[in-house]
């Protein structure tokens, strides 16, 4: 956990710059990916280090029971696209199946 906190601290400025650059360029898939990796995930890692260090590597799993309920709600509020997640997931996996059928091998 200490190593993770140190990495987050060292990457903080560059991470923010990467996310904001992708947003400014309107590279939305990249922006969302970077946001999840460099903005939201580090918040969750810091919360876990504070609230449940023994399960620091559980990432997003069991957040609703492992961290302060107010913080869990705040993380939920920072998730992009959750209002349509079931629909988007079904559409994405259907497309994935279509691509897999056409893929070599």
């Amino acid at each position: 956990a200490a190593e993770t906190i140190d990495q987050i601290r060292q990457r903080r400025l560059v991470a923010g710059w990467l996310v904001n650059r992708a947003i400014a360029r309107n590279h939305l898939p990249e922006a969302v990916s970077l946001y999840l990796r460099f903005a939201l995930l580090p918040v969750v890692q810091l919360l876990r280090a504070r609230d449940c260090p023994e399960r620091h590597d559980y990432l997003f799993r069991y957040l609703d029971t492992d961290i302060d309920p107010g913080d869990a709600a705040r993380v939920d509020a920072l998730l992009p696209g959750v209002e349509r997640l079931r629909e988007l997931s079904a559409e994405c996996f259907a497309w994935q199946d279509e691509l897999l059928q056409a893929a070599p091998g």
Side-chain angles (χ1 to χ4, degrees):
E3 184 178 323
T4 297
I5 292 169
D6 187 50
Q7 288 176 351
I8 293 168
R9 186 174 282 120
Q10 290 180 41
R11 289 191 300 218
R12 170 57 189 90
L13 293 177
V14 171
W17 177 80
L18 286 171
V19 173
N20 290 321
R21 180 185 66 173
I23 292 167
R25 291 178 174 176
N26 204 32
H27 295 169
L28 299 182
E30 179 187 20
V32 171
S33 175
L34 292 171
Y35 167 77
L36 291 173
R37 182 175 172 199
F38 291 123
L40 191 58
L41 178 59
V43 165
V44 169
Q45 290 172 310
L46 291 168
L47 290 168
R48 283 202 168 280
R50 183 193 72 195
D51 292 354
C52 56
E54 69 282 356
R55 291 177 19 155
H56 71 276
D57 59 345
Y58 276 43
L59 304 178
F60 291 98
R61 180 179 267 177
Y62 309 123
L63 276 185
D64 58 328
T65 58
D66 284 353
I67 65 172
D68 176 86
D71 289 334
R74 195 170 172 187
V75 168
D76 284 352
L78 292 171
L79 292 169
V82 293
E83 61 282 345
R84 293 185 49 226
L85 191 54
R86 186 178 306 278
E87 175 189 342
L88 293 172
S89 178
E91 189 174 327
C92 195
F93 281 114
W95 193 10
Q96 190 178 113
D97 291 341
E98 178 186 322
L99 292 168
L100 283 169
Q101 285 180 349

